[in-house]
Amino acid sequence: MSEHSPERGRGLHQAVVDELGAQIVSGALAPGTVITAALLGERMGVSRTVLREGIRVLESKGLVQPWPKTGTRVLDHTHWDLLDRDVIRWRVRGPDRARQFGELMDLRRAVEAAAARSCCDLATPEEVDALLACADELRRSGTAGDLEAFTAADMRFHALLLSASHNLVFDQLAGSFAATLEARADLKTLPQHIHRDTLDAHLEVARAIADRDHDRAERAVRTIVDQSRSEALDRLGS
């Protein structure tokens, strides 16, 4: 398969984005480093066209900036799109992983607590039913130790929570939060059997929203996020 075939082209392009992105967020490519298509093409064994495409993606994420006549410079973290799913994925696999988890858990705690309160006012009966059904699936998969099914259901539950708040800004954070849940599973920070309090708290969130009980819903969400944060950071050695 040639580099110019669509399938191989996409694979090479993503490989370049992943390799350079991971090196930048880990610090292997320090801020201010100048990277050129000629240098990288020789080292990575791909064409300048593929490299230019990859660099454009990294630029859109705030990791690099082209400079006229001098090449492309690596930017520091103040420019990065820290809520981008790829940036999250690279950070949680690097030396900064504990900080990344902690920061996103802080954001989740604040946003999902507010979303739960909003759901008590605005969630439709259909959305409440979907939350209840998803909480039941979480209980089944978590009790059975099926971590793949649990993670998939967990991502659905928290996406539903954000969308049922009917806050468009909250809803846009669903992808960022899902990336954290995916990484938690990939890095094996989940226990083999999910803590009973975590399973109960998901069901409590759904039931509290069904009862339109703002305080119960907020408390249960905070229990979920605090438990998840504690488990993840304990296993990451923080």
Side-chain angles (χ1 to χ4, degrees), residues 21-217:
Q23 288 183 26
I24 291 169
V25 302
S26 71
L29 284 174
T33 299
V34 177
I35 54 180
T36 65
L39 175 64
L40 291 175
E42 184 176 325
R43 192 181 79 187
M44 301 177 72
V46 296
S47 71
R48 294 191 183 192
T49 299
V50 169
L51 283 168
R52 282 195 295 268
E53 290 173 354
I55 287 171
R56 277 198 293 268
V57 172
L58 296 174
E59 182 183 5
S60 74
K61 299 175 188 296
L63 273 65
V64 300
Q65 182 178 19
W67 286 73
K69 300 181 180 179
T70 62
T72 297
R73 293 183 184 273
V74 174
L75 299 177
D76 66 38
H77 67 87
T78 61
H79 296 87
W80 302 349
D81 181 356
L82 296 174
L83 294 177
D84 179 85
R85 291 187 73 156
D86 283 335
V87 176
I88 291 171
R89 181 165 56 84
W90 296 325
R91 286 188 71 198
V92 297
R93 286 164 176 77
D96 207 24
R97 66 185 63 180
R99 178 179 178 181
Q100 168 72 21
F101 267 104
E103 290 172 347
L104 281 172
M105 288 300 181
D106 287 344
L107 180 63
R108 279 189 58 199
R109 196 176 195 273
V111 169
E112 292 193 9
R117 296 188 74 90
S118 185
C119 285
C120 291
D121 295 324
L122 300 175
T124 66
E126 293 76 15
E127 288 169 333
V128 172
D129 287 344
L131 280 166
L132 288 165
C134 200
D136 284 338
E137 172 56 27
L138 279 165
R139 179 183 290 277
R140 286 193 297 273
S141 57
T143 301
D146 186 343
L147 299 186
E148 183 176 351
F150 174 84
T151 297
D154 204 19
M155 291 168 62
R156 288 196 303 274
F157 183 91
H158 291 280
L160 282 167
L161 181 69
L162 295 175
S163 65
S165 74
H166 294 267
N167 181 310
L168 297 180
V169 178
F170 288 173
D171 196 23
Q172 284 203 354
L173 291 171
S176 301
F177 291 173
T180 307
L181 297 173
E182 287 176 326
R184 184 187 60 179
D186 291 345
L187 294 172
K188 303 187 186 306
T189 63
L190 282 170
Q192 182 59 44
H193 292 284
I194 305 301
H195 199 283
R196 176 68 178 270
D197 288 349
T198 299
L199 301 176
D200 289 345
H202 281 85
L203 190 56
E204 176 68 0
V205 170
R207 287 175 172 170
I209 291 171
D211 293 339
R212 309 299 175 177
D213 189 327
H214 302 71
D215 292 340
R216 277 175 56 208

